[in-house]
C-alpha cells in the first residue's frame, strides 16, 4: 500500500544518522543494530529553531540578563492559555534542566525517606529509578488491558492510596509507554482521590503536544481550584520538537508553599538552564507550529502503519493504537518468549526498549519508537515482526552502515 511521503521527514540518510554521536544511534550502531529505543526522533531540527540557534551563536553567548527569570515563564503561560484554555501564573513558573531533575527536586522538597509515592505502571524507567534511589516506596497505579485499550485500574489505585497514604502521585499524561491520553472523566476521578487523600500531584505533560485526534490533552491543573493548588506541572519542548539534548524544562508550581520552599534554597543549587536551551524553546513555541503540524501528519501515518503491520504479522501480540506520543507498547507475552527485547535484538537486529525497567509485570513487553522515516520504519517493523513471528530461528546479520565518525 502506498503512503504519502513528507519531504524533510522521509528523506533521511541512514549513513548520516549512523554518524550521529547521540545515544539513540551511537549505541545501536556500535552493536550493529537499528535503533527504535530511546524517545528521540530521527528528524532534523526544525528550521526555525536552527536559525534561532545560529543567530544566537553568531552574536552572543555571554551571561544572560534573566534577573527575574527567563522569558519562558511568560511564554509557557501564553501557550497553555492558547492551546488548552488554562491560565497558569507566570510568576509560579521556574526553569530546570530536564524533567528528571524537576521530579527529583520536587520529591526532595515534598517527601522524606521512607515515604510512599504512587506512580502509573508501566512508566518511564528514570522516574522509577529516581523514586527508588531517593529511598522512597513505590506504589503502583497499574494500567490493565481491557481489550479495547490500556485503562488505569482506579479501584486498585484508591485502595492502595487509602492503605499506604502516599505523599505524592506522579501522573504521566499523555502516558509513556502506553500512549494513553486520559479523558476528562479519568482525570476528574484521579483529582477526587487526590483531594480526599491530600496528594501532591506531579503531572508530567511533556508529550502534551503529541496527541492524535479526536483525543485532546487536558492539563491536570486546569481541572479546578483544588487540582490547581495541589499540582506541579512539568514539561518541555524536548519531545514535541526533539530538543532533549539542550536540557531545558519548565515547572509550574500550583502550591505556593512548595514554591516558597523551592525559592528558599540556594540559587543555582539545582543547576540552571542554558542560553541555547532557552533560545531553542522560545523559537519552538513562538514559531514552530507549522513544522509541528507537518510532524503530526508524519506521526499519524506512522502510528497507523505500525498498528496495521503488527496486527497482520504478529496478531497474537497485544497492543493498542497510541492516542498520543510516538511510542507503541506491545505485550509479547502471548508469544511465549522469555525476553522479547533480547530476541528482537538478536534475531531482528533492532534495538528496542521494554522489560522490567518499566515496572513489575513488564518483562514480556516491547516499546517501539516510530518517529522516523517511512523507509526506516519498514526496516524496524521487519526486524521486530520477523523476530517475534514464527520461523525466526537465525540471528539477524549485523546492521552494516558507513562508520563516518
Amino acid at each position: 500500500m502506498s503512503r504519502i511521503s513528507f519531504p524533510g521527514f522521509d528523506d533521511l540518510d541512514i549513513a548520516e544518522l549512523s554518524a550521529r554521536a547521540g545515544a539513540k544511534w551511537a549505541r545501536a550502531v556500535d552493536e550493529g543494530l537499528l535503533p527504535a529505543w530511546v524517545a528521540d526522533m530521527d528528524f532534523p531540527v526544525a528550521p526555525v529553531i536552527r536559525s534561532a540557534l545560529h543567530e544566537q551563536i553568531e552574536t552572543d553567548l555571554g551571561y544572560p540578563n534573566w534577573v527575574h527569570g527567563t522569558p519562558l515563564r511568560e511564554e509557557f503561560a501564553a501557550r497553555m492559555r492558547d492551546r488548552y484554555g488554562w491560565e497558569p501564573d507566570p510568576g509560579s513558573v521556574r526553569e530546570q534542566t530536564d524533567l528528571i531533575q524537576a521530579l527529583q527536586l520536587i520529591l526532595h522538597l515534598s517527601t522524606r525517606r521512607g515515604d510512599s509515592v504512587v506512580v502509573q505502571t508501566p512508566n518511564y524507567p528514570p522516574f522509577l529509578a529516581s523514586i527508588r534511589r531517593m529511598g522512597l516506596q513505590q506504589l503502583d497505579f497499574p494500567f490493565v488491558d481491557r481489550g479495547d485499550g490500556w485503562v488505569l485500574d482506579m479501584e486498585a489505585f484508591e485502595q492502595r492510596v487509602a492503605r499506604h497514604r502516599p505523599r505524592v502521585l506522579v501522573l504521566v499524561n499523555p502516558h509513556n509507554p502506553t500512549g494513553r491520553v486520559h479523558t476528562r472523566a479519568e482525570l476528574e476521578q484521579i483529582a477526587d482521590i487526590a483531594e480526599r487523600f491530600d496528594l501532591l500531584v506531579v503531572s508530567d505533560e511533556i508529550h502534551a503536544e503529541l496527541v492524535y485526534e479526536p483525543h485532546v490533552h487536558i492539563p491536570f491543573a486546569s481541572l479546578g481550584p483544588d487540582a490547581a493548588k495541589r499540582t506541579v506541572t512539568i514539561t518541555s519542548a524536548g519531545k514535541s520538537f526533539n530538543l532533549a539534548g539542550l536540557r531545558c524544562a519548565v515547572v509550574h508550581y500550583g502550591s505556593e508553599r512548595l514554591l516558597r520552599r523551592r525559592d528558599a534554597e540556594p540559587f543555582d543549587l539545582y543547576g540552571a538552564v542554558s542560553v541555547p536551551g532557552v533560545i531553542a524553546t522560545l523559537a519552538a513555541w513562538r514559531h514552530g507550529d507549522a513544522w509541528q503540524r507537518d510532524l503530526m501528519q508524519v506521526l499519524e501515518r506512522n502510528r497507523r502503519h505500525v498498528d496495521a503491520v503488527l496486527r497482520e504479522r504478529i496478531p497474537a501480540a497485544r497492543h493498542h493504537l497510541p492516542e498520543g506520543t510516538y511510542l507503541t507498547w506491545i505485550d509479547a507475552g502471548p508469544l511465549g518468549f522469555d525476553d522479547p527485547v533480547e530476541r528482537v535484538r538478536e534475531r531482528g537486529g533492532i534495538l528496542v526498549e521494554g522489560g522490567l525497567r518499566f515496572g513489575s509485570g513488564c518483562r514480556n513487553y516491547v516499546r517501539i519508537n516510530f518517529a522516523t522515516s517511512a523507509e526506516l520504519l519498514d526496516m524496524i517493523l521487519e526486524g521486530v515482526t520477523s523476530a517475534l513471528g514464527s520461523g525466526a530461528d537465525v540471528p539477524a546479520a549485523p546492521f552494516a552502515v558507513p562508520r563516518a565518525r
Side-chain angles (χ1 to χ4, degrees):
M1 183 178 67
S2 63
R3 282 172 282 163
I4 298 174
S5 181
F6 293 88
F9 295 90
D10 283 326
D11 45 6
L12 302 179
D13 184 275
I14 295 180
E16 292 179 1
L17 291 170
S18 300
R20 289 182 175 181
K24 181 181 183 182
W25 276 85
R27 294 185 190 176
V29 170
D30 283 347
E31 299 182 45
L33 305 172
L34 269 179
W37 64 295
V38 69
D40 268 346
M41 297 189 281
D42 286 338
F43 311 122
V45 177
V48 292
I49 299 174
R50 189 164 58 243
S51 295
L53 288 171
H54 284 168
E55 181 179 353
Q56 187 69 33
I57 289 169
E58 290 171 358
T59 56
D60 184 13
L61 286 178
Y63 288 115
N65 186 26
W66 297 334
V67 177
H68 301 293
T70 77
L72 293 177
R73 300 182 183 186
E74 292 283 352
E75 201 64 37
F76 166 79
R79 197 165 183 85
M80 295 301 101
R81 180 192 65 236
D82 295 343
R83 290 204 162 205
Y84 310 115
W86 174 41
E87 299 194 13
D89 175 12
S92 297
V93 177
R94 299 293 183 268
E95 304 82 7
Q96 299 295 155
T97 58
D98 61 21
L99 265 69
I100 300 171
Q101 184 200 39
L103 175 66
Q104 292 172 352
L105 171 58
I106 296 160
L107 293 177
H108 173 70
L109 295 175
S110 62
T111 65
R112 293 177 295 183
R113 293 184 72 86
D115 284 347
S116 294
V117 174
V118 61
V119 61
Q120 298 151 303
T121 50
N123 213 297
Y124 181 47
F127 280 8
L128 301 183
S130 294
I131 292 169
R132 182 176 65 252
R133 295 188 67 174
M134 294 181 72
L136 301 169
Q137 301 299 312
Q138 176 185 319
L139 292 181
D140 288 352
F141 183 4
F143 278 91
V144 293
D145 184 355
R146 294 279 167 81
D148 59 351
W150 308 110
V151 180
L152 284 170
D153 190 336
M154 295 289 185
E155 183 178 355
F157 171 48
E158 183 166 2
Q159 289 175 350
R160 290 170 188 176
V161 170
R163 179 179 179 183
H164 297 281
R165 297 299 175 116
R167 301 289 297 275
V168 179
L169 163 65
V170 178
L171 183 72
V172 180
N173 180 42
H175 185 254
N176 170 12
T178 66
R180 272 300 318 279
V181 176
H182 295 315
T183 65
R184 182 174 293 276
E186 288 173 319
L187 294 174
E188 288 177 343
Q189 190 173 356
I190 294 169
D192 175 68
I193 294 170
E195 180 177 4
R196 284 191 282 120
F197 293 97
D198 194 24
L199 288 169
L200 173 70
V201 179
V202 183
S203 187
D204 165 12
E205 302 182 9
I206 196 172
H207 287 99
E209 297 181 9
L210 301 171
V211 171
Y212 308 101
E213 295 180 351
H215 309 283
V216 294
H217 173 68
I218 301 169
F220 192 83
S222 71
L223 293 175
D226 183 80
K229 289 188 297 185
R230 70 175 61 257
T231 302
V232 181
T233 303
I234 56 179
T235 193
S236 165
K239 296 304 178 192
S240 52
F241 289 93
N242 212 42
L243 303 176
L246 287 177
R247 315 286 283 184
C248 183
V250 294
V251 182
H252 177 267
Y253 289 81
S255 166
E256 294 182 3
R257 181 185 62 81
L258 190 61
L259 179 58
R260 286 195 299 270
R261 288 198 63 187
R262 189 262 186 219
D263 286 349
E265 296 285 302
F267 55 85
D268 294 346
L269 174 62
Y270 304 106
V273 291
S274 70
V275 169
V278 171
I279 293 299
T281 303
L282 289 173
W285 286 350
R286 290 174 177 172
H287 309 297
D289 287 355
W291 182 88
Q292 194 181 71
R293 284 192 293 271
D294 291 341
L295 167 70
M296 291 305 297
Q297 291 186 70
V298 175
L299 297 181
E300 169 68 23
R301 176 202 67 187
N302 286 2
R303 75 169 181 137
R304 293 193 177 277
H305 184 61
V306 171
D307 182 66
V309 169
L310 293 178
R311 291 183 188 283
E312 176 185 352
R313 298 184 189 173
I314 45 173
R318 298 190 60 81
H319 78 284
H320 301 287
L321 187 69
E323 300 165 355
T325 79
Y326 44 79
L327 306 164
T328 291
W329 187 239
I330 306 167
D331 179 3
L335 303 178
F337 304 124
D338 290 338
D339 188 342
V341 172
E342 188 61 25
R343 186 175 179 91
V344 168
R345 173 200 295 263
E346 292 183 351
R347 301 182 185 275
I350 309 297
L351 183 59
V352 294
E353 290 268 30
L356 291 177
R357 293 178 62 243
F358 285 80
S360 61
C362 295
R363 177 182 297 279
N364 294 315
Y365 284 80
V366 171
R367 190 187 76 174
I368 296 176
N369 175 348
F370 56 81
T372 191
S373 68
E375 178 187 9
L376 278 166
L377 183 58
D378 281 339
M379 295 171 67
I380 289 166
L381 291 173
E382 177 62 31
V384 171
T385 58
S386 65
L388 297 181
S390 60
D393 296 324
V394 180
F399 172 57
V401 295
R403 302 294 291 277
R405 287 202 215 150

